[in-house]
Amino acid sequence: MHHFHYAGPNLHCESVDLAAVAQLHGTPTYVYSAATMTDNYARLKAGLSGLDLQICYAMKANSNLAVLRHFANLGAGFDLVSGGEIRRVIAAGADVKTSVFAGVGKSEAEIALALENGIFAFHVESEPELKRISHVAGRLGLKAPIAIRVNPDVDAHTHAKITTGKSDNKFGIPLAAAAAAYEAAARYPHLELKGVQMHIGSQLTSVAPFVEAVCKIAPFVAELKAKYGIKYFSIGGGMGIVYKDALASGQQAWWDAQAPDQRPLTPETYGAALTPLLQPLGLKILLEHGRFMVGNAGVLLARVEHLKRGAGKNFLVVDAAMNDLIRPAMYESFHEIVPLHRDTTRRALTADIVGPICESGDCFAKDRQIQELGEGEFLALMSAGAYGYAMASRYNTRPAAAEVLVHGSAFDLVNARETFEQMTGNERVPAFLK
Ligand code: LLP
């Protein structure tokens, strides 16, 4: 469910006509719906309401300061992965004390920054990391709260680049070696054993792998509670969203029309399956969803540059590119693409929808059916709220896109389009070339 819909012929986000946003702020521009994020947060919380829950929004999905503040206002902490992300939480006026710090290669400076700001816990990925964290904590005269990431060796049945819970991934400590890792951790003077963590992958479309992983790890979690008095179990993130029928999935009617065995994962199904497995543990449960919280809450607006009619193929060339949204090029991901002004009298066109970047990979959609569009008309790439702007680059010296947040009938620029001076400001031509 989300708040993007046609009101008359024009695509709206909540009560805002998206063409007005495109005209005022130009394109490419990301637009986020505050109400959709609120709903996603509330549904997740309600879906697991039988548990003592802390939602740590995985801010790698979308770390715009306004988005962070919105989630903090709702009561979320954050799952963060770098010193930069710690600084973003603080800059957003939010609290690091309900946030967890993950990642396989935290530097000493990042560990110190997290400790100085009262991080809830470090999610530790290896034994050398235990040593490093204890060392930094000792230097600061502190005890570092930690949880070890246990790798359950479960296949998440998702794209190979975003599966993380198999034994051949770089993440976590295998279940068979985890007891020894906790014993080692308990011997460090500056570590406090606070929890246990797992995360098996991203964009999971069925609850079965989550259930399999929780069932595999739960007995070990109970042992840790008895032995060390751990306080929480983080089951990670990974809940998938609808990409194919993105626009239609904003309406309840679409969900009702799906056959039960075809229905994509919902927070209600997820909660119903996992709550009975987690409740008996009597621990605080942390969730680290990123994509589910923001994915369907954002679109990328673009303008048509040309309709190029080829011999056997049409190309709709737009002003957004793979530097703005890398997911189709990187993961062959599908994003629904819709016109901002729908005109049912127009012919349908089959075209590759491409950006202006000089490589063939700069393609958002192949042989896609879309209403015929011409130069200057706008379209929206749906489900772009997660891993969109956050993964953008400056390839081809294209500036970072603008970002806009919608709230009811109001909208505000929450990140101005980057300027050429900002892009090149740190570059220098050395004296020996002059
Ligand atoms: N927790 C941990 C430890 C993670 O590594 C991740 C994501 C999450 C939580 C959040 O996962 P989510 O709920 O968003 O699925 N760039 C890729 C996705 C990479 C996910 C990396 N880790 C994409 O665009 O599909």
Side-chain angles (χ1 to χ4, degrees):
M1 303 287 282
H2 59 70
H3 293 263
F4 294 90
H5 57 96
Y6 283 98
N10 293 345
L11 188 66
H12 282 60
C13 172
E14 304 186 26
S15 307
V16 170
D17 185 337
L18 285 171
V21 178
Q23 261 139 19
L24 187 66
H25 294 300
T27 47
T29 291
Y30 279 94
V31 182
Y32 310 126
S33 155
T36 306
M37 292 186 243
T38 307
D39 287 357
N40 290 344
Y41 181 85
R43 280 182 69 190
L44 191 57
K45 212 168 156 52
L48 294 102
S49 60
L51 302 170
D52 173 12
L53 201 67
Q54 180 173 324
I55 297 179
C56 293
Y57 162 58
M59 60 180 282
K60 62 172 80 73
N62 185 329
S63 55
N64 180 284
L65 298 186
V67 170
L68 301 185
R69 182 55 178 266
H70 184 59
F71 281 122
N73 290 348
L74 293 170
F78 301 96
D79 164 40
L80 48 84
V81 290
S82 71
E85 288 196 348
I86 297 172
R87 297 187 62 183
R88 274 187 179 274
V89 171
I90 298 165
D95 205 342
V96 176
K97 293 190 177 62
T98 47
S99 300
V100 290
F101 188 178
V104 295
K106 307 168 193 77
S107 72
E108 292 206 4
E110 289 175 318
I111 293 165
L113 184 65
L115 285 168
E116 283 158 0
N117 286 284
I119 194 90
F120 183 75
F122 292 91
H123 287 169
V124 179
E125 303 259 5
S126 64
E127 296 216 16
E129 225 199 335
L130 290 171
K131 185 172 172 196
R132 180 180 287 190
I133 294 171
S134 178
H135 170 73
V136 176
R139 209 177 59 207
L140 295 172
L142 297 169
K143 266 198 155 195
I146 65 131
I148 290 179
R149 177 170 180 175
V150 177
N151 186 330
D153 194 20
V154 162
D155 192 343
H157 299 292
T158 182
H159 192 280
K161 283 185 184 146
I162 52 177
T163 192
T164 53
K166 285 288 292 168
S167 58
D168 55 356
N169 297 129
K170 68 179 173 182
F171 300 101
I173 292 179
L175 185 53
Y182 272 89
E183 274 163 34
R187 287 195 290 271
Y188 282 101
H190 300 288
L191 299 183
E192 179 196 352
L193 276 50
K194 210 166 160 187
V196 58
Q197 198 264 0
M198 65 164 222
H199 172 76
I200 56 174
S202 199
Q203 184 54 19
L204 274 74
T205 50
S206 125
V207 79
F210 290 113
V211 168
E212 187 185 343
V214 167
C215 287
K216 232 169 151 177
I217 291 186
F220 178 60
V221 178
E223 269 172 45
L224 292 174
K225 186 184 175 199
K227 192 160 178 197
Y228 303 108
I230 64 159
K231 301 277 186 286
Y232 79 89
F233 178 21
S234 174
I235 62 167
M239 196 162 29
I241 61 164
V242 175
Y243 283 100
K244 265 240 147 71
D245 285 334
L247 183 64
S249 73
Q251 310 295 322
Q252 183 62 45
W254 181 86
W255 293 87
D256 296 342
Q258 306 303 305
D261 59 332
Q262 299 292 312
R263 201 167 290 151
L265 190 53
T266 62
E268 292 77 23
T269 321
Y270 174 82
L274 295 178
T275 300
L277 305 175
L278 295 168
Q279 217 162 27
L281 292 171
L283 290 170
K284 182 186 269 297
I285 300 298
L286 264 58
L287 299 180
E288 305 167 9
H289 293 286
R291 187 190 316 264
F292 171 76
M293 308 283 273
V294 290
N296 68 353
V299 298
L300 173 59
L301 302 184
R303 197 171 55 92
V304 174
E305 297 287 12
H306 308 286
L307 171 57
K308 178 177 167 184
R309 291 189 188 275
K313 202 147 186 119
N314 299 313
F315 295 95
L316 196 61
V317 185
V318 302
D319 67 351
M322 65 191 285
N323 75 297
D324 302 301
L325 179 66
I326 190 85
R327 302 195 68 261
M330 193 153 173
Y331 313 111
E332 299 86 36
S333 68
F334 182 100
H335 287 265
E336 190 179 8
I337 302 177
V338 295
L340 292 202
H341 182 79
R342 193 162 56 177
D343 180 352
T344 47
T345 65
R346 298 239 193 126
R347 278 187 309 192
L349 171 81
T350 302
D352 283 10
I353 302 175
V354 301
I357 282 183
C358 299
E359 62 177 275
S360 303
D362 184 25
C363 179
F364 289 126
K366 282 220 173 301
D367 298 319
R368 188 69 66 85
Q369 270 236 333
I370 188 166
Q371 146 195 327
E372 199 167 81
L373 289 170
E375 185 182 339
E377 293 189 294
F378 297 117
L379 45 76
L381 289 102
M382 304 295 296
S383 319
Y387 306 109
Y389 184 93
M391 294 181 79
S393 77
R394 285 151 192 83
Y395 189 35
N396 279 209
T397 308
R398 291 170 48 86
E403 293 175 287
V404 165
L405 183 65
V406 169
H407 179 57
S409 56
F411 67 91
D412 223 336
L413 190 64
V414 293
N415 193 5
R417 189 176 313 287
E418 196 174 29
T419 64
F420 175 77
E421 289 69 27
Q422 288 166 338
M423 256 195 294
T424 56
N426 288 331
E427 297 181 29
R428 295 283 176 272
V429 177
F432 58 76
L433 290 180
K434 287 183 185 162

